Amino acid sequence: MGLELDVPIINEKSLAANFTNEVGVGGKVRFLKNIAGLWLLQECRRQWAMEGSEYTYEQLANMATEARPFSAAINPDALLGPGAMP
């Protein structure tokens, strides 16, 4: 998630919020925050497979659709390291 800018934003506030500046097409700067949504799902799927339960993405999407809404809150920034996501 982010913006395409002409110049980078480099300050204490952007650093504290974990934003990055990446060089983009045509000399533009991509000011963005990486969001670990799919990676979290991939890590959970990998762990479940190691434990003997292999799920397709379609099965996981169906399970999520059937789950009770807002039964848990997840802070993705707390799960930046690999392994044991579930």
Side-chain angles (χ1 to χ4, degrees), residues 46-68:
R46 184 177 64 81
Q47 183 68 35
W48 290 322
M50 288 174 31
E51 295 170 359
S53 298
E54 295 198 32
Y55 299 106
T56 65
Y57 288 109
E58 183 178 9
Q59 288 173 309
L60 292 172
N62 288 336
M63 291 164 64
T65 300
E66 295 168 5
R68 186 170 54 97

Side-chain angles (χ1 to χ4, degrees), residues 5 12-13 19 23 26-28 31 33 40-41 44-46 49 52 54 56 59 63 65 71 74 78 86:
L5 305 171
E12 292 298 320
K13 191 173 180 180
F19 276 81
V23 176
K28 294 287 188 176
F31 179 70
K33 181 174 182 111
L40 297 175
L41 183 59
C44 287
R45 189 171 174 251
R46 184 177 64 81
E54 295 198 32
T56 65
Q59 288 173 309
M63 291 164 64
T65 300
S71 61
I74 299 171

